[in-house]
CSV table of all heavy atoms in Angstrom, one decimal:
chain,number,residue,atom,x,y,z
A,1,ASP,N,200.1,77.0,85.7
A,1,ASP,CA,201.3,76.9,86.6
A,1,ASP,C,200.9,77.5,87.9
A,1,ASP,O,199.9,78.0,88.2
A,1,ASP,CB,202.5,77.6,86.0
A,1,ASP,CG,202.9,76.8,84.7
A,1,ASP,OD1,202.8,75.6,84.7
A,1,ASP,OD2,203.4,77.5,83.8
A,2,LEU,N,201.9,77.5,88.9
A,2,LEU,CA,201.7,78.1,90.2
A,2,LEU,C,201.5,79.6,90.0
A,2,LEU,O,202.3,80.2,89.2
A,2,LEU,CB,202.8,77.8,91.1
A,2,LEU,CG,202.6,76.5,92.0
A,2,LEU,CD1,202.5,75.3,91.1
A,2,LEU,CD2,203.8,76.4,93.0
A,3,VAL,N,200.6,80.2,90.7
A,3,VAL,CA,200.3,81.6,90.6
A,3,VAL,C,200.4,82.2,92.0
A,3,VAL,O,199.8,81.7,92.9
A,3,VAL,CB,198.9,81.9,90.0
A,3,VAL,CG1,198.6,83.4,90.0
A,3,VAL,CG2,198.7,81.3,88.7
A,4,ARG,N,201.2,83.3,92.2
A,4,ARG,CA,201.4,83.9,93.5
A,4,ARG,C,200.6,85.1,93.6
A,4,ARG,O,200.5,86.0,92.7
A,4,ARG,CB,202.9,84.3,93.6
A,4,ARG,CG,203.2,85.0,95.0
A,4,ARG,CD,203.5,84.0,96.0
A,4,ARG,NE,203.7,84.6,97.3
A,4,ARG,CZ,205.0,84.8,97.8
A,4,ARG,NH1,206.0,84.6,97.1
A,4,ARG,NH2,205.1,85.3,99.1
A,5,THR,N,199.8,85.2,94.7
A,5,THR,CA,199.0,86.4,95.0
A,5,THR,C,199.4,86.8,96.5
A,5,THR,O,200.2,86.1,97.1
A,5,THR,CB,197.5,86.3,94.9
A,5,THR,OG1,197.1,85.4,96.0
A,5,THR,CG2,197.1,85.7,93.5
A,6,ARG,N,198.8,87.8,97.0
A,6,ARG,CA,199.1,88.2,98.4
A,6,ARG,C,198.6,87.1,99.4
A,6,ARG,O,199.0,87.1,100.5
A,6,ARG,CB,198.4,89.5,98.7
A,6,ARG,CG,196.9,89.6,98.7
A,6,ARG,CD,196.4,91.0,99.1
A,6,ARG,NE,195.0,91.0,99.2
A,6,ARG,CZ,194.1,91.2,98.2
A,6,ARG,NH1,194.6,91.3,97.0
A,6,ARG,NH2,192.8,91.3,98.4
A,7,PHE,N,197.7,86.2,98.9
A,7,PHE,CA,197.2,85.1,99.8
A,7,PHE,C,198.1,83.9,99.8
A,7,PHE,O,198.1,83.2,100.8
A,7,PHE,CB,195.8,84.7,99.3
A,7,PHE,CG,194.8,85.8,99.2
A,7,PHE,CD1,194.4,86.3,98.0
A,7,PHE,CD2,194.3,86.3,100.3
A,7,PHE,CE1,193.5,87.3,97.9
A,7,PHE,CE2,193.4,87.4,100.3
A,7,PHE,CZ,193.0,87.9,99.0
A,8,GLY,N,198.9,83.8,98.8
A,8,GLY,CA,199.8,82.6,98.7
A,8,GLY,C,199.9,82.1,97.3
A,8,GLY,O,199.9,82.9,96.3
A,9,PHE,N,200.1,80.8,97.1
A,9,PHE,CA,200.2,80.2,95.8
A,9,PHE,C,198.9,79.4,95.4
A,9,PHE,O,198.3,78.8,96.3
A,9,PHE,CB,201.4,79.2,95.8
A,9,PHE,CG,202.7,79.8,95.9
A,9,PHE,CD1,203.5,79.9,97.0
A,9,PHE,CD2,203.3,80.4,94.7
A,9,PHE,CE1,204.7,80.5,97.1
A,9,PHE,CE2,204.5,81.0,94.7
A,9,PHE,CZ,205.2,81.0,95.9
A,10,HIS,N,198.6,79.6,94.2
A,10,HIS,CA,197.3,79.0,93.7
A,10,HIS,C,197.7,78.1,92.5
A,10,HIS,O,198.6,78.3,91.7
A,10,HIS,CB,196.4,80.0,93.2
A,10,HIS,CG,196.0,81.1,94.1
A,10,HIS,ND1,194.9,81.2,94.8
A,10,HIS,CD2,196.7,82.2,94.5
A,10,HIS,CE1,194.9,82.3,95.6
A,10,HIS,NE2,196.0,82.9,95.4
A,11,LEU,N,196.9,77.0,92.4
A,11,LEU,CA,196.8,76.2,91.2
A,11,LEU,C,195.4,76.3,90.7
A,11,LEU,O,194.4,76.2,91.4
A,11,LEU,CB,197.1,74.7,91.5
A,11,LEU,CG,197.4,73.8,90.4
A,11,LEU,CD1,198.6,74.2,89.6
A,11,LEU,CD2,197.6,72.4,90.9
A,12,ILE,N,195.2,76.7,89.4
A,12,ILE,CA,193.9,77.0,88.8
A,12,ILE,C,193.6,76.1,87.7
A,12,ILE,O,194.4,75.8,86.8
A,12,ILE,CB,193.9,78.5,88.3
A,12,ILE,CG1,194.4,79.4,89.4
A,12,ILE,CG2,192.5,78.9,87.8
A,12,ILE,CD1,194.7,80.8,88.9
A,13,LYS,N,192.3,75.6,87.6
A,13,LYS,CA,191.8,74.8,86.5
A,13,LYS,C,190.5,75.5,86.0
A,13,LYS,O,189.6,75.7,86.8
A,13,LYS,CB,191.6,73.4,86.9
A,13,LYS,CG,191.1,72.5,85.8
A,13,LYS,CD,191.0,71.1,86.3
A,13,LYS,CE,190.5,70.2,85.1
A,13,LYS,NZ,189.3,69.6,85.3
A,14,VAL,N,190.5,75.7,84.7
A,14,VAL,CA,189.3,76.3,84.1
A,14,VAL,C,188.5,75.2,83.5
A,14,VAL,O,188.9,74.4,82.7
A,14,VAL,CB,189.7,77.4,83.0
A,14,VAL,CG1,188.5,77.7,82.2
A,14,VAL,CG2,190.2,78.6,83.7
A,15,ASN,N,187.2,75.2,83.9
A,15,ASN,CA,186.3,74.1,83.4
A,15,ASN,C,185.3,74.6,82.3
A,15,ASN,O,184.7,73.7,81.6
A,15,ASN,CB,185.5,73.5,84.6
A,15,ASN,CG,186.4,72.9,85.6
A,15,ASN,OD1,187.4,72.1,85.2
A,15,ASN,ND2,186.2,73.1,86.9
A,16,ASP,N,185.0,75.9,82.3
A,16,ASP,CA,184.1,76.4,81.3
A,16,ASP,C,184.4,77.8,81.0
A,16,ASP,O,184.9,78.5,81.9
A,16,ASP,CB,182.7,76.2,81.8
A,16,ASP,CG,181.6,76.2,80.7
A,16,ASP,OD1,182.1,76.4,79.5
A,16,ASP,OD2,180.4,76.0,80.9
A,17,ILE,N,184.0,78.3,79.9
A,17,ILE,CA,184.2,79.7,79.4
A,17,ILE,C,183.0,80.2,78.7
A,17,ILE,O,182.4,79.5,77.9
A,17,ILE,CB,185.4,79.8,78.5
A,17,ILE,CG1,186.7,79.3,79.2
A,17,ILE,CG2,185.6,81.2,78.0
A,17,ILE,CD1,187.9,79.2,78.3
A,18,THR,N,182.5,81.4,79.1
A,18,THR,CA,181.5,82.1,78.3
A,18,THR,C,182.1,83.2,77.6
A,18,THR,O,182.8,84.0,78.2
A,18,THR,CB,180.3,82.6,79.2
A,18,THR,OG1,180.9,83.5,80.2
A,18,THR,CG2,179.7,81.4,79.9
A,19,ALA,N,181.9,83.3,76.3
A,19,ALA,CA,182.5,84.3,75.5
A,19,ALA,C,181.9,85.7,75.8
A,19,ALA,O,180.7,85.8,76.2
A,19,ALA,CB,182.3,84.0,74.0
A,20,PRO,N,182.6,86.8,75.5
A,20,PRO,CA,182.1,88.1,75.8
A,20,PRO,C,180.9,88.4,74.8
A,20,PRO,O,180.9,87.8,73.7
A,20,PRO,CB,183.2,89.1,75.5
A,20,PRO,CG,184.2,88.3,74.6
A,20,PRO,CD,184.0,86.9,75.1
A,21,LYS,N,179.9,89.1,75.3
A,21,LYS,CA,178.7,89.4,74.5
A,21,LYS,C,178.3,90.8,74.7
A,21,LYS,O,178.3,91.3,75.8
A,21,LYS,CB,177.6,88.4,74.9
A,21,LYS,CG,176.3,88.6,74.1
A,21,LYS,CD,175.2,87.6,74.7
A,21,LYS,CE,173.9,87.9,73.9
A,21,LYS,NZ,172.8,87.0,74.4
A,22,GLU,N,177.8,91.4,73.6
A,22,GLU,CA,177.3,92.8,73.7
A,22,GLU,C,176.0,92.9,73.0
A,22,GLU,O,175.8,92.5,71.8
A,22,GLU,CB,178.3,93.8,73.1
A,22,GLU,CG,177.8,95.2,73.2
A,22,GLU,CD,178.8,96.2,72.6
A,22,GLU,OE1,179.9,95.8,72.3
A,22,GLU,OE2,178.4,97.4,72.5
A,23,GLN,N,174.9,93.3,73.7
A,23,GLN,CA,173.6,93.5,73.1
A,23,GLN,C,173.5,94.8,72.4
A,23,GLN,O,173.9,95.9,73.0
A,23,GLN,CB,172.5,93.4,74.2
A,23,GLN,CG,172.4,92.0,74.8
A,23,GLN,CD,171.3,92.0,75.9
A,23,GLN,OE1,171.6,92.5,77.0
A,23,GLN,NE2,170.2,91.5,75.7
A,24,GLN,N,173.0,94.9,71.2
A,24,GLN,CA,172.9,96.1,70.5
A,24,GLN,C,171.7,96.8,70.9
A,24,GLN,O,170.7,96.3,71.5
A,24,GLN,CB,172.9,95.8,69.0
A,24,GLN,CG,174.1,95.0,68.5
A,24,GLN,CD,175.4,95.8,68.8
A,24,GLN,OE1,175.5,97.0,68.5
A,24,GLN,NE2,176.4,95.1,69.4
A,25,LEU,N,171.6,98.1,70.5
A,25,LEU,CA,170.5,99.0,70.9
A,25,LEU,C,169.2,98.4,70.4
A,25,LEU,O,168.2,98.4,71.1
A,25,LEU,CB,170.7,100.4,70.2
A,25,LEU,CG,169.6,101.3,70.4
A,25,LEU,CD1,169.2,101.6,71.8
A,25,LEU,CD2,169.9,102.6,69.6
A,26,GLU,N,169.2,97.8,69.2
A,26,GLU,CA,167.9,97.3,68.7
A,26,GLU,C,167.4,96.1,69.5
A,26,GLU,O,166.1,95.9,69.6
A,26,GLU,CB,168.1,96.8,67.2
A,26,GLU,CG,168.5,97.9,66.2
A,26,GLU,CD,169.9,98.4,66.4
A,26,GLU,OE1,170.7,97.7,67.0
A,26,GLU,OE2,170.1,99.5,65.9
A,27,GLU,N,168.3,95.4,70.2
A,27,GLU,CA,167.9,94.3,71.0
A,27,GLU,C,167.3,94.7,72.3
A,27,GLU,O,166.5,94.0,72.9
A,27,GLU,CB,169.1,93.4,71.3
A,27,GLU,CG,169.7,92.8,70.1
A,27,GLU,CD,170.9,92.0,70.5
A,27,GLU,OE1,170.8,90.8,71.0
A,27,GLU,OE2,172.1,92.4,70.3
A,28,VAL,N,167.6,95.9,72.8
A,28,VAL,CA,167.2,96.3,74.2
A,28,VAL,C,166.4,97.6,74.2
A,28,VAL,O,166.0,98.1,75.3
A,28,VAL,CB,168.5,96.5,75.1
A,28,VAL,CG1,169.2,95.2,75.2
A,28,VAL,CG2,169.4,97.6,74.5
A,29,GLN,N,166.1,98.2,73.0
A,29,GLN,CA,165.4,99.5,73.0
A,29,GLN,C,164.0,99.4,73.7
A,29,GLN,O,163.6,100.3,74.4
A,29,GLN,CB,165.3,100.1,71.6
A,29,GLN,CG,164.5,99.3,70.6
A,29,GLN,CD,164.5,99.9,69.3
A,29,GLN,OE1,165.2,101.0,69.1
A,29,GLN,NE2,163.8,99.3,68.3
A,30,ASP,N,163.3,98.3,73.5
A,30,ASP,CA,162.0,98.2,74.1
A,30,ASP,C,162.1,98.1,75.6
A,30,ASP,O,161.3,98.7,76.3
A,30,ASP,CB,161.3,96.9,73.6
A,30,ASP,CG,160.8,97.0,72.2
A,30,ASP,OD1,161.0,98.1,71.5
A,30,ASP,OD2,160.1,96.1,71.6
A,31,GLN,N,163.1,97.4,76.1
A,31,GLN,CA,163.3,97.3,77.5
A,31,GLN,C,163.7,98.6,78.1
A,31,GLN,O,163.1,99.0,79.2
A,31,GLN,CB,164.5,96.3,77.8
A,31,GLN,CG,164.9,96.2,79.2
A,31,GLN,CD,166.2,95.4,79.4
A,31,GLN,OE1,166.6,94.6,78.5
A,31,GLN,NE2,166.8,95.5,80.6
A,32,LEU,N,164.6,99.4,77.5
A,32,LEU,CA,164.9,100.7,78.0
A,32,LEU,C,163.8,101.6,77.9
A,32,LEU,O,163.5,102.4,78.9
A,32,LEU,CB,166.1,101.2,77.1
A,32,LEU,CG,167.5,100.6,77.4
A,32,LEU,CD1,168.5,101.1,76.4
A,32,LEU,CD2,167.9,100.9,78.8
A,33,ALA,N,163.0,101.6,76.8
A,33,ALA,CA,161.8,102.5,76.7
A,33,ALA,C,160.8,102.2,77.8
A,33,ALA,O,160.3,103.1,78.4
A,33,ALA,CB,161.2,102.4,75.4
A,34,GLN,N,160.6,100.9,78.1
A,34,GLN,CA,159.7,100.6,79.2
A,34,GLN,C,160.2,101.1,80.5
A,34,GLN,O,159.4,101.6,81.3
A,34,GLN,CB,159.4,99.1,79.2
A,34,GLN,CG,158.4,98.7,80.2
A,34,GLN,CD,158.1,97.2,80.2
A,34,GLN,OE1,158.8,96.4,80.8
A,34,GLN,NE2,157.0,96.8,79.5
A,35,GLU,N,161.5,100.9,80.8
A,35,GLU,CA,162.0,101.4,82.1
A,35,GLU,C,161.9,102.9,82.2
A,35,GLU,O,161.5,103.4,83.3
A,35,GLU,CB,163.5,101.0,82.2
A,35,GLU,CG,163.7,99.5,82.4
A,35,GLU,CD,165.2,99.1,82.3
A,35,GLU,OE1,166.0,100.1,82.2
A,35,GLU,OE2,165.5,97.9,82.5
A,36,MET,N,162.1,103.6,81.1
A,36,MET,CA,162.1,105.0,81.2
A,36,MET,C,160.6,105.5,81.4
A,36,MET,O,160.4,106.4,82.2
A,36,MET,CB,162.6,105.7,79.9
A,36,MET,CG,164.1,105.4,79.7
A,36,MET,SD,164.8,106.0,78.2
A,36,MET,CE,164.8,107.8,78.5
A,37,LEU,N,159.7,104.9,80.7
A,37,LEU,CA,158.3,105.3,80.9
A,37,LEU,C,157.8,104.9,82.3
A,37,LEU,O,157.1,105.7,82.9
A,37,LEU,CB,157.4,104.5,79.9
A,37,LEU,CG,157.6,105.0,78.4
A,37,LEU,CD1,156.8,104.1,77.5
A,37,LEU,CD2,157.0,106.5,78.3
A,38,ARG,N,158.2,103.8,82.8
A,38,ARG,CA,157.8,103.4,84.2
A,38,ARG,C,158.4,104.4,85.2
A,38,ARG,O,157.8,104.7,86.2
A,38,ARG,CB,158.3,102.0,84.5
A,38,ARG,CG,157.5,100.9,83.7
A,38,ARG,CD,157.9,99.6,84.2
A,38,ARG,NE,157.5,99.3,85.6
A,38,ARG,CZ,158.0,98.2,86.2
A,38,ARG,NH1,158.7,97.3,85.6
A,38,ARG,NH2,157.6,98.1,87.5
A,39,LYS,N,159.7,104.8,85.0
A,39,LYS,CA,160.3,105.8,85.9
A,39,LYS,C,159.5,107.1,85.9
A,39,LYS,O,159.3,107.8,86.9
A,39,LYS,CB,161.8,106.0,85.5
A,39,LYS,CG,162.7,104.9,85.9
A,39,LYS,CD,164.1,105.2,85.5
A,39,LYS,CE,165.0,104.0,85.9
A,39,LYS,NZ,166.4,104.2,85.5
A,40,ARG,N,159.1,107.5,84.7
A,40,ARG,CA,158.3,108.8,84.6
A,40,ARG,C,157.0,108.6,85.3
A,40,ARG,O,156.6,109.5,86.1
A,40,ARG,CB,158.1,109.1,83.1
A,40,ARG,CG,159.2,109.6,82.3
A,40,ARG,CD,158.8,110.0,80.9
A,40,ARG,NE,159.9,110.4,80.1
A,40,ARG,CZ,159.8,110.9,78.9
A,40,ARG,NH1,158.6,111.0,78.3
A,40,ARG,NH2,160.9,111.3,78.2
A,41,LYS,N,156.4,107.5,85.1
A,41,LYS,CA,155.1,107.3,85.8
A,41,LYS,C,155.3,107.2,87.3
A,41,LYS,O,154.4,107.6,88.1
A,41,LYS,CB,154.4,106.0,85.3
A,41,LYS,CG,153.9,106.2,83.9
A,41,LYS,CD,153.1,105.0,83.4
A,41,LYS,CE,152.5,105.2,82.1
A,41,LYS,NZ,151.5,104.2,81.7
A,42,ALA,N,156.4,106.6,87.8
A,42,ALA,CA,156.7,106.5,89.2
A,42,ALA,C,156.8,107.9,89.8
A,42,ALA,O,156.3,108.2,90.9
A,42,ALA,CB,157.9,105.6,89.4
A,43,ARG,N,157.5,108.8,89.1
A,43,ARG,CA,157.7,110.1,89.6
A,43,ARG,C,156.3,110.8,89.6
A,43,ARG,O,156.0,111.6,90.6
A,43,ARG,CB,158.6,110.9,88.7
A,43,ARG,CG,160.1,110.6,88.9
A,43,ARG,CD,161.0,111.5,88.0
A,43,ARG,NE,160.7,113.0,88.2
A,43,ARG,CZ,161.2,113.7,89.2
A,43,ARG,NH1,162.0,113.1,90.2
A,43,ARG,NH2,160.9,115.0,89.3
A,44,GLU,N,155.5,110.6,88.6
A,44,GLU,CA,154.1,111.2,88.6
A,44,GLU,C,153.3,110.7,89.8
A,44,GLU,O,152.6,111.5,90.4
A,44,GLU,CB,153.4,110.9,87.3
A,44,GLU,CG,154.1,111.6,86.1
A,44,GLU,CD,153.5,111.1,84.8
A,44,GLU,OE1,152.7,110.2,84.8
A,44,GLU,OE2,154.0,111.6,83.7
A,45,MET,N,153.4,109.4,90.0
A,45,MET,CA,152.7,108.8,91.2
A,45,MET,C,153.2,109.4,92.5
A,45,MET,O,152.4,109.7,93.4
A,45,MET,CB,152.8,107.3,91.1
A,45,MET,CG,152.1,106.7,89.9
A,45,MET,SD,152.6,104.9,89.7
A,45,MET,CE,151.8,104.2,91.2
A,46,ALA,N,154.5,109.5,92.6
A,46,ALA,CA,155.1,110.0,93.9
A,46,ALA,C,154.7,111.5,94.1
A,46,ALA,O,154.3,111.9,95.2
A,46,ALA,CB,156.6,109.9,93.8
């Protein structure tokens, strides 16, 4: 329906939706470990 904001009135149509998603620790632990190791090495290099 019509939606009022500080800009005026809007008509909105939704064409697609992506559901919420959460990555678990097991899915990203390698990525995090690599980032942490690289940060340590970057400090050592600096």
Side-chain angles (χ1 to χ4, degrees):
D1 290 326
L2 271 61
V3 177
R4 178 85 183 263
T5 72
R6 67 179 184 277
F7 303 106
F9 287 100
H10 308 257
L11 193 60
I12 307 166
K13 181 174 180 241
V14 167
N15 297 315
D16 202 357
I17 299 173
T18 59
K21 179 182 177 182
E22 180 175 355
Q23 292 177 287
Q24 300 303 310
L25 173 61
E26 294 74 19
E27 299 176 75
V28 297
Q29 63 180 3
D30 286 4
Q31 175 188 343
L32 286 173
Q34 186 176 78
E35 289 175 1
M36 294 176 73
L37 288 172
R38 289 183 65 190
K39 285 180 181 178
R40 288 186 182 183
K41 289 188 175 186
R43 281 184 57 81
E44 291 168 0
M45 293 167 68

